[in-house]
Amino acid sequence: MKVIIAGGGTGGHLYPGIALAREVLKGRGNHVLFVGTEQGIEARVLPKESLPVRFMKIGRIKGMGLSAVMRTLFGLPAALMHALKIIKEEAPAVVVGLGGYASAAMGVAAWMKNIPLIIIEPNAYPGLANRLLGRLAQKVVLSFPGYDASGFFRAEKIFCTGPLVRQGIERGDREKALKEFGLEPDRYTVLVFGGSAGAHAINMAMKEAAFLLSGIPDIQILHQTGEKDVEEVRAAYAAAGIKAAAVPYIFDMASAYALADLVVSRSGATTVAELSVLGKPAVLIPYPFAADNHQEYNALSLAAHCEARVILQKDLTGRRLAEAIEGYRRSTKRMAGRMDTNAAGEIADLLRIYVQEN
């Protein structure tokens, strides 16, 4: 069985695809090909994951200026022709759309060639590409915790699973993380991160919060800042006298999660899915400029089903963030409810069913 997994652009769309690809590749004789854009995160991540990828040129529409939108619209026929070319050359048994503009072209091409099309929606609010492709797809997989998207997709097309997370995320090595980041085993540990490039607003709020948290003797912080703010944040923790490791990027997120008593983060689809599976309490600061404001929907939905507090970026201050962290530290509750999941296996089984029927 050959599967094309199309889309990406952000980690929230890409990492569910990687989780599915790993499951599909367990099957004897199965093959996976990703299709994305050179501008998306897939161009950096997939080669490191040793997963094959082909790139196509397609622009964005949401959040872009008029001239960029016009270029994208004029380029759509060429993108569709490229997608049809990939379909012809690769001959997939099924196409999976992750969302994002590359998935739109590949999804339409699959529909035109009568190849089964399965859509995966990892967010609490479906993006434009998935809302459009949902009309053409055989199934729309909803993997967001507690999410009901019946208002967007026909009920008979919806296939619900648990959160779709990368393999091994719940099996992190706590001792390894303690050693790598020079942290101590008996302290209350706060893990802070934005996206892969960090989040400047969160970084600056934590810089301010550091001085308000400085009187807490048993706290320590592991903070992924991104490259731009790392030195400034390190200096703030040092000046406040807080035990902390501020690093540009954390490669082993499973071990970082294993170390954390509390997570402070954005609320992208991957992060929210991982928090729900790991049962980690969280303070979520949604990225306010995400497409369709989906991060706020993600955060509010998780807060309704798990242990999470939401601070909108317009309301974010160092004091408010420090108060939220201190509130969790004082709580005797160290774990939120965990969600069981076998989403990757369930979706892989679904793909096999459609391949056999066709």
Side-chain angles (χ1 to χ4, degrees):
M1 177 174 71
K2 186 165 193 177
V3 180
I4 283 182
I5 301 178
T10 66
H13 283 125
L14 179 63
Y15 284 110
I18 292 175
L20 175 59
R22 296 297 184 204
E23 186 67 27
V24 169
L25 290 171
K26 291 179 182 178
R28 187 174 181 180
N30 287 349
H31 302 276
V32 169
L33 173 70
F34 281 81
V35 176
T37 68
E38 291 181 326
Q39 294 74 38
I41 190 175
E42 56 269 24
R44 302 189 303 275
V45 171
L46 291 173
K48 293 180 181 178
E49 295 281 343
S50 299
L51 290 167
V53 58
R54 289 184 63 168
F55 298 113
M56 59 189 308
K57 291 184 178 180
I58 185 166
R60 297 173 58 193
I61 295 176
K62 295 285 290 186
M64 303 302 290
L66 179 61
S67 60
V69 170
M70 294 304 296
R71 286 196 299 272
T72 295
L73 293 176
F74 281 120
L76 288 178
L80 180 57
M81 293 301 295
H82 191 183
L84 288 167
K85 181 174 183 287
I86 292 173
I87 291 282
K88 181 178 179 180
E89 292 174 353
E90 301 293 343
V94 61
V95 171
V96 176
L98 301 174
Y101 297 104
S103 74
M106 289 302 305
V108 172
W111 174 75
M112 291 175 66
K113 292 298 184 180
N114 201 32
I115 294 170
L117 173 63
I118 309 297
I119 300 303
I120 296 176
E121 180 48 66
N123 288 296
Y125 190 95
L128 177 62
N130 278 355
R131 294 201 302 271
L132 295 174
L133 290 180
R135 302 179 181 186
L136 308 179
Q138 276 69 35
K139 283 290 180 182
V140 178
V141 177
L142 303 181
S143 61
F144 192 86
Y147 171 47
D148 176 15
S150 57
F152 296 100
F153 306 109
R154 285 163 47 188
E156 65 270 19
K157 288 190 175 186
I158 292 175
F159 182 81
C160 293
T161 72
L164 181 53
V165 297
R166 50 189 135 177
Q167 287 182 335
I169 197 66
E170 75 286 3
R171 298 192 298 273
D173 188 334
R174 187 172 185 272
E175 296 303 317
K176 174 187 173 185
L178 286 168
K179 183 177 180 180
E180 178 179 351
F181 298 113
L183 299 176
E184 299 177 10
D186 298 325
R187 288 178 178 250
Y188 184 83
T189 305
V190 183
L191 171 62
V192 184
F193 60 94
S196 59
H200 182 70
I202 295 176
N203 293 345
M204 294 303 100
M206 283 300 301
K207 177 184 171 182
E208 181 185 346
F211 294 92
L212 300 171
L213 296 169
S214 60
I216 302 173
D218 66 337
I219 198 169
Q220 64 184 359
I221 297 169
L222 172 56
H223 189 158
Q224 176 184 286
T225 63
E227 293 284 353
K228 182 179 178 182
D229 294 333
V230 62
E231 295 301 335
E232 185 175 355
V233 173
R234 279 177 184 162
Y237 288 136
I242 288 184
K243 180 75 173 177
V247 296
Y249 188 77
I250 298 173
F251 290 94
D252 185 357
M253 279 301 297
S255 296
Y257 277 131
L259 191 60
D261 296 295
L262 175 68
V263 173
V264 176
S265 70
R266 293 297 196 192
S267 50
T270 295
T271 298
V272 168
E274 290 171 350
L275 290 172
S276 67
V277 169
L278 294 169
K280 296 288 182 179
V283 179
L284 300 174
I285 301 105
Y287 179 58
F289 307 110
D292 298 305
N293 199 27
H294 69 261
Q295 286 209 9
E296 185 174 334
Y297 287 99
N298 289 355
L300 294 174
S301 183
L302 186 70
H305 294 88
C306 298
E307 185 61 38
R309 299 181 189 179
V310 181
I311 303 176
L312 299 183
Q313 186 162 303
K314 65 182 179 65
D315 301 322
L316 180 63
T317 64
R319 179 167 295 280
R320 188 163 184 184
L321 187 52
E323 289 172 352
I325 292 170
E326 174 63 357
Y328 271 117
R329 189 194 70 86
R330 288 182 176 178
S331 173
T332 57
K333 189 175 182 179
R334 285 293 185 263
M335 295 292 290
R338 291 183 175 182
M339 290 186 177
D340 293 329
T341 184
N342 182 33
E346 292 172 6
I347 300 170
D349 288 341
L350 179 69
L351 300 185
R352 283 190 286 270
I353 290 171
Y354 274 95
V355 169
Q356 291 168 1
E357 289 179 352
N358 286 267

